[in-house]
Amino acid sequence: KYVQETVLSLLGNFNAKRRELRHPFQSKPTESCIENRRKCKTFLTSLLGKNVWYQHFQEYADHCFCAKCEKEEVFYRGNPKEKYVLPIGWYRFGIKIREDCEMKEVEKWNVAYHGAPTDRVESIMQHRRIMFPGDKLNNGTILPVRLNACYADKVSPDGKVIYCSPTIKYAGHPNYARPKKIGQGLVAQVVFQCKVAPGCFKKFPQTLRQKNYDKNISDNEIEWVTGNRRGIAPYAALVRIVPEA
């Protein structure tokens, strides 16, 4: 019960908690929902191994965000509140929040998404934090520091920033959440749903040279950039399996 209440506290006010944190599915899940959850879990476990899965995942925040299970589209979180768009078309697996995050503090944070290549997922999960440039991944790779990266110099003088977005339609772009082939003409992607401390990020226009990613979010404020390592905390891994483009 304590664990469930802790997760509930991370998801905002009471009514919003109940809407977002319900069950892994709607009250009467379809066979396609159940099968999708199984496939998504199998894929995620293949990236992490069962030990990491059981150590860090928190089932109370699991939820199917297919169009049948989720009728909402936009939520607000944080103090001050910021709008974010629900991850329709993805399945969410809850993650235990890391120890250095005070619950009363984090429940006032905003919500955003961070798309990650699949080779970074294990490191993000084990550390329960988004990996910054200069960090060493579990496979030994050191993430490069690019001083000329988009907007990096406007946020941090050392270029060590990470990017997130209030809509998964942007964070889930293949440039960020790089797809991995899983056979039978299918690919899988992973995006992390994160709590982000108000005031620790700056908003910038999109940089993917495309327009109107999400009708609910302005293209001029669709990229959030932060150099604050402690100010962003993943609390869910979202998985999508789709046909290969």
Side-chain angles (χ1 to χ4, degrees):
K1 181 178 179 181
Y2 171 76
V3 174
Q4 186 176 20
E5 290 175 349
T6 300
V7 177
L8 283 168
S9 72
L10 294 175
L11 296 176
N13 62 64
F14 181 82
N15 289 332
K17 292 172 193 173
R18 292 301 175 189
R19 289 198 302 272
E20 186 172 336
L21 187 65
R22 282 171 274 183
H23 301 284
F25 307 103
Q26 60 179 352
S27 57
K28 294 182 179 180
T30 65
E31 290 186 10
S32 62
C33 293
I34 296 172
E35 179 64 11
N36 179 59
R37 182 180 191 273
R38 184 191 67 78
K39 289 180 178 179
C40 289
K41 182 176 180 179
T42 297
F43 171 70
L44 205 49
T45 306
S46 73
L47 297 179
L48 304 171
K50 290 185 178 180
N51 289 338
V52 175
W53 175 275
Y54 289 118
Q55 184 179 0
H56 296 302
F57 276 87
Q58 177 53 266
E59 65 179 6
Y60 290 110
D62 288 5
H63 186 67
C64 179
F65 281 98
C66 77
K68 296 177 182 178
C69 290
E70 184 54 66
K71 304 303 181 184
E72 301 282 352
E73 188 172 11
V74 175
F75 273 11
Y76 291 81
R77 289 283 187 272
N79 184 18
K81 292 182 178 181
E82 290 282 358
K83 177 169 61 176
Y84 76 100
V85 183
L86 293 183
I88 305 301
W90 298 69
Y91 192 89
R92 184 177 72 185
F93 298 94
I95 298 172
K96 296 175 183 177
I97 204 80
R98 65 176 189 266
E99 289 81 359
D100 66 328
C101 294
E102 293 289 336
M103 296 305 173
K104 291 183 178 179
E105 176 186 12
V106 175
E107 68 182 4
K108 299 176 183 177
W109 289 10
N110 308 125
V111 171
Y113 304 96
H114 176 81
T118 53
D119 63 354
R120 298 183 191 180
V121 171
E122 181 185 6
S123 297
I124 292 174
M125 280 301 312
Q126 288 198 335
H127 294 279
R128 284 181 288 168
R129 66 175 67 249
I130 303 302
M131 309 305 287
F132 270 65
D135 288 350
K136 188 175 183 179
L137 302 182
N138 288 3
N139 63 11
T141 302
I142 297 178
L143 297 182
V145 178
R146 296 187 176 93
L147 294 176
N148 61 344
C150 298
Y151 309 123
D153 60 340
K154 298 181 184 297
V155 176
S156 177
D158 62 7
K160 294 182 179 181
V161 301
I162 60 100
Y163 301 83
C164 54
S165 176
T167 172
I168 201 167
K169 292 179 180 178
Y170 190 80
H173 189 282
N175 281 17
Y176 305 130
R178 297 174 196 161
K180 182 174 183 178
K181 295 180 181 181
I182 59 174
Q184 299 182 330
L186 299 173
V187 296
Q189 294 175 278
V190 179
V191 169
F192 287 92
Q193 191 171 22
C194 305
K195 285 286 188 174
V196 188
C200 85
F201 59 89
K202 292 183 179 180
K203 301 177 183 179
F204 293 98
Q206 59 89 12
T207 55
L208 293 177
R209 298 179 182 179
Q210 195 172 323
K211 294 182 178 180
N212 304 319
Y213 280 92
D214 193 315
K215 65 181 181 180
N216 298 294
I217 304 292
S218 168
D219 281 351
N220 291 323
E221 296 186 338
I222 205 166
E223 280 200 19
W224 293 4
V225 186
T226 180
N228 187 328
R229 181 182 294 272
R230 186 183 175 278
I232 182 166
Y235 71 96
L238 296 144
V239 180
R240 176 173 70 171
I241 297 175
V242 294
E244 185 177 0

